[in-house]
Amino acid sequence: MANVKLAIVYYSSTGTNYQMAKWAKEGAEAKGAEVRLVRAEELAPDAAIDANPAWREHYDETKDVVPVATSDDIEWADALIFSTPTRFGVMTAQMKQFIDQQGGLWGSGKTVNKVVSGMSSAQNAHGGQEATILSLYKVMMHWGAIIVPPGYADPVQFAAGGNPYGVSITAGENPVEKDVEEAVKFQAKRTVEVAEKVIG
């Protein structure tokens, strides 16, 4: 069976979703997937980034290390994992703009049957993580994608917070906690396993 090609597309201002994306990459590669880790392009002005030292530090550390996501990454992939912070209960403007730029792929049917899963974070425990993932999944329904949530297919989901839609964390509260890392890796592995069946 051919290896699954997985694109992990994330946006991260201070590094939480970047860490989640890296865990997802590890989990997917452990299942034999070929992975591209890419980021949604930053849209915020320098003044906004400079106002938050953690944002500036993370941006400077990754801007020349992680490629900016393009339509080619979507077309290339059999499967996609999106990871985005929540902004007022929906995905960030950076992630939304990237998705909005895929109209050409959608219009030519190239998003159909992509296997997709989503993850999120927020500053507080009930900050809209589930709503953010659901906002992403609504777009994926328009794409004709196959949505793969983690559900409760592994007990680690409960240990990591119990979100059946996708792993979500509270930024700043133990973002490197082992349960969350294992839950992200499980979600990535499950995405790859479903993709194997779809492309097989």
Side-chain angles (χ1 to χ4, degrees):
M1 181 183 296
N3 285 355
V4 170
K5 293 180 290 187
L6 171 69
I8 301 171
V9 183
Y10 77 92
Y11 173 74
S12 194
S13 54
T14 59
T16 299
N17 284 269
Y18 178 48
Q19 179 62 72
M20 294 170 74
K22 290 192 293 183
W23 286 334
K25 182 176 187 287
E26 291 176 23
E29 288 177 340
K31 289 293 293 182
E34 181 182 352
V35 180
R36 288 186 185 180
L37 178 64
V38 294
R39 61 183 174 87
E41 189 169 14
E42 184 59 79
L43 302 177
D46 280 335
I49 298 172
D50 288 338
N52 182 336
W55 192 352
R56 169 54 66 191
E57 180 181 3
H58 176 70
Y59 178 73
D60 288 345
E61 285 179 354
T62 57
K63 65 184 173 73
D64 297 322
V65 175
V66 182
V68 171
T70 69
S71 296
D72 178 66
D73 297 312
I74 303 296
E75 187 170 0
W76 167 85
D78 303 305
L80 302 159
I81 293 176
F82 293 94
S83 189
T84 177
T86 182
R87 292 292 184 269
F88 302 111
V90 295
M91 70 186 85
T92 62
Q94 291 87 345
M95 185 64 77
K96 184 64 165 61
Q97 174 162 296
F98 172 70
I99 287 173
D100 285 347
Q101 291 171 339
Q102 309 316 313
L105 291 182
W106 168 80
S108 59
K110 292 179 180 177
T111 60
V112 174
N113 292 336
K114 298 289 185 183
V115 174
V116 175
S117 202
M119 305 184 295
S120 187
S121 68
Q123 284 298 113
N124 53 301
H126 299 285
Q129 293 96 324
E130 291 184 2
T132 295
I133 294 171
L134 291 173
S135 76
L136 170 70
Y137 288 168
K138 285 191 287 185
V139 174
M140 296 302 110
M141 291 177 195
H142 283 257
W143 279 18
I146 298 168
I147 298 168
V148 180
Y152 298 114
D154 188 282
V156 73
Q157 287 303 115
F158 292 100
N163 185 345
Y165 308 111
V167 176
S168 62
I169 68 174
T170 303
E173 285 190 9
N174 301 317
V176 295
E177 188 174 311
K178 193 66 177 173
D179 291 334
V180 175
E181 178 181 348
E182 291 307 312
V184 169
K185 289 179 178 178
F186 167 74
Q187 183 171 344
K189 290 174 184 177
R190 176 166 157 72
T191 303
V192 170
E193 286 170 358
V194 173
E196 286 175 341
K197 295 176 181 180
V198 171
I199 67 175

